[in-house]
Amino acid sequence: DDGGGDGDSDVLGDSRGSTLSSRTGRQHNNSGALRASPRVEGEQEGGHPTSSSGREDDVSTLGPPPELRPQPGLSLMQRRGSDGSDGTHLTAADTVHGSTVVTAKRMDNVCGFMSRRSFFVSISVFVILLLVVGLAVGLTKGTDPTTDEQVLFPDPDEVLTTVPEPVCFSYLPKMSNLSKACPDPTSLPRGGPLCQLVAEGLLEAADPAANIDIAITNAGAIRSDAFAGDLTVGTVRTQVLPFSEDRAAYLSVTPAEIKATLEAPLVDDGLIFTEAMQKEFFPDVPTVKLHWSYEAKYPYAAGLRYDVDIAAPDGEKVSNIVINPRYAGDDDWIALDVTDTSTLIRVVTSDYLAGGGDGYFTGVPRERIEIQENLELADLFLSYCSRQEELIGPDRIVDMSTREYLTATTDD
């Protein structure tokens, strides 16, 4: 060191707070401490005068300039910024051995564009919104009439009405009798009274606004007698009409389509739905022992009557069809023109049959079928039963939809 120096050789602090040794002759001792070299009297360093002894004033006695001195009551890192901020982003400055040390602003931002506080507030709001949406979905599930089923009779123990004497079920007139209450097939020459009563109930309980004229169901939808005593909701849902997936359906069909619908289920295709198959596909439904492929498909109707010759050729088994629309007089039965392909008749049935099940309604265009997704088929019959003081089967044999039934061995 030549001992010389000028005003440009000050010790400066860089932007990261480190110090630099300049030509002033400051040196580090072996311990790493910074000491000052002798200077000529009157020489200044960084604008600070030297003492008359010829050495630089002890840097430990030097404090920061007045404007950088700590304010009372605030630590160095808590000083209020010159912009009047509350200390969230404060700066602090001091001198170390005569050098200005400036601390950088504290980085409280996240990802460089959002403060930590704003970040956590945003996350909290997002989580709350998710919870609110989830709660709203949970509260509305099962109550939205456009998406969820409306259970009209939720209590299985509710008593609907009283059955004074058994109303028997059977499928084919004369030929089959699955009833436990009426085991003699010859006692049911026009078929099962309970099957007929279900068809009547569907017609009576259908929505009046739908302007339904007739009801059609298949025999296999019914699986039990209505025994004497109290008839409960549970009995209807698990025994009488146990196919819980069946929904009500409203259709507009022509007379020609009605004739085809009555004929198709009576075709003998040789395929019998065995009890083993019934258990496999419908484990919660009572099984029945079938002997003919068309047995459970046999049609029952309300507002419609017909003759059946089961031994006649396919397509010619049903004849003499007469109709009595729902709003017509009791004795106003008129012949159905089965060649009519334009007149539309309103029908209530199950969505299974409306979709072509058992051969029903296979020629009806989809746009003329209205599935009531929120209405179980059983609910229509439950509604009908709840309006009856007593549940009684058809009073007269002529009240059955099958007016005459002929087999290969009978003439009546």
Side-chain angles (χ1 to χ4, degrees), residues 53-364:
S53 62
R55 67 178 182 83
E56 187 182 46
D57 288 339
D58 187 351
V59 295
S60 64
T61 65
L62 298 177
E67 67 275 10
L68 297 177
R69 289 174 184 169
Q71 299 178 20
L74 293 175
S75 67
L76 186 62
M77 295 306 295
Q78 293 177 326
R79 294 193 189 116
R80 182 176 297 275
S82 61
D83 60 353
S85 62
D86 60 2
T88 302
H89 300 288
L90 300 180
T91 60
D94 208 339
T95 59
V96 177
H97 302 297
S99 300
T100 301
V101 179
V102 179
T103 58
K105 288 185 177 182
R106 191 169 60 202
M107 296 297 290
D108 284 341
N109 62 324
V110 178
C111 300
F113 63 89
M114 182 184 296
S115 70
R116 182 180 291 117
R117 179 180 298 174
S118 300
F119 175 78
F120 285 112
V121 168
S122 300
I123 291 295
S124 300
V125 171
F126 180 73
V127 171
I128 291 173
L129 287 175
L130 285 180
L131 292 175
V132 170
V133 171
L135 179 62
V137 172
L139 290 177
T140 57
K141 185 176 182 180
T143 62
D144 186 350
T146 64
T147 58
D148 292 305
E149 172 188 339
Q150 300 172 350
V151 180
L152 302 181
F153 297 88
D155 183 5
D157 297 324
E158 178 185 351
V159 176
L160 297 165
T161 187
T162 299
V163 183
E165 58 183 32
V167 183
C168 307
F169 92 110
S170 186
Y171 293 168
L172 293 175
K174 300 181 181 180
M175 297 171 60
S176 66
N177 192 340
L178 304 170
S179 171
K180 295 180 180 179
C182 310
D184 181 8
T186 61
S187 67
L188 304 174
R190 299 296 182 264
L194 185 57
C195 298
Q196 183 64 41
L197 196 61
V198 167
E200 299 288 347
L202 298 182
L203 179 60
E204 291 298 323
D207 184 359
N211 296 316
I212 301 301
D213 296 308
I214 63 175
I216 298 178
T217 186
N218 58 326
I222 297 90
R223 294 287 168 141
S224 174
D225 300 298
F227 294 97
D230 290 340
L231 181 66
T232 67
V233 170
T235 298
V236 172
R237 290 195 186 281
T238 62
Q239 302 295 320
V240 178
L241 291 170
F243 292 94
S244 60
E245 297 300 318
D246 282 356
R247 296 294 180 268
Y250 300 147
L251 297 79
S252 297
V253 300
T254 67
E257 291 167 340
I258 289 178
K259 171 68 159 69
T261 286
L262 296 176
E263 290 280 0
L266 302 180
V267 174
D268 187 359
D269 57 16
L271 301 176
I272 297 178
F273 198 38
T274 66
E275 290 185 273
M277 295 169 65
Q278 294 172 42
K279 289 180 180 179
E280 179 181 357
F281 288 97
F282 306 105
D284 298 327
V285 174
T287 62
V288 291
K289 187 174 179 60
L290 302 175
H291 297 86
W292 296 272
S293 63
Y294 49 84
E295 189 172 0
K297 302 176 184 178
Y298 193 81
Y300 284 82
L304 202 66
R305 293 176 182 171
Y306 38 83
D307 296 338
V308 175
D309 182 354
I310 201 65
D314 293 343
E316 301 177 12
K317 298 179 184 294
V318 181
S319 60
N320 300 323
I321 304 173
V322 294
I323 186 171
N324 180 16
R326 181 180 185 181
Y327 301 104
D330 289 341
D331 298 324
D332 190 16
W333 290 89
I334 59 176
L336 187 70
D337 181 4
V338 297
T339 64
D340 184 349
T341 59
S342 58
T343 302
L344 293 180
I345 298 170
R346 296 287 285 167
V347 182
V348 58
T349 187
S350 69
D351 62 338
Y352 169 68
L353 299 185
D358 286 352
Y360 286 72
F361 304 108
T362 54
V364 179

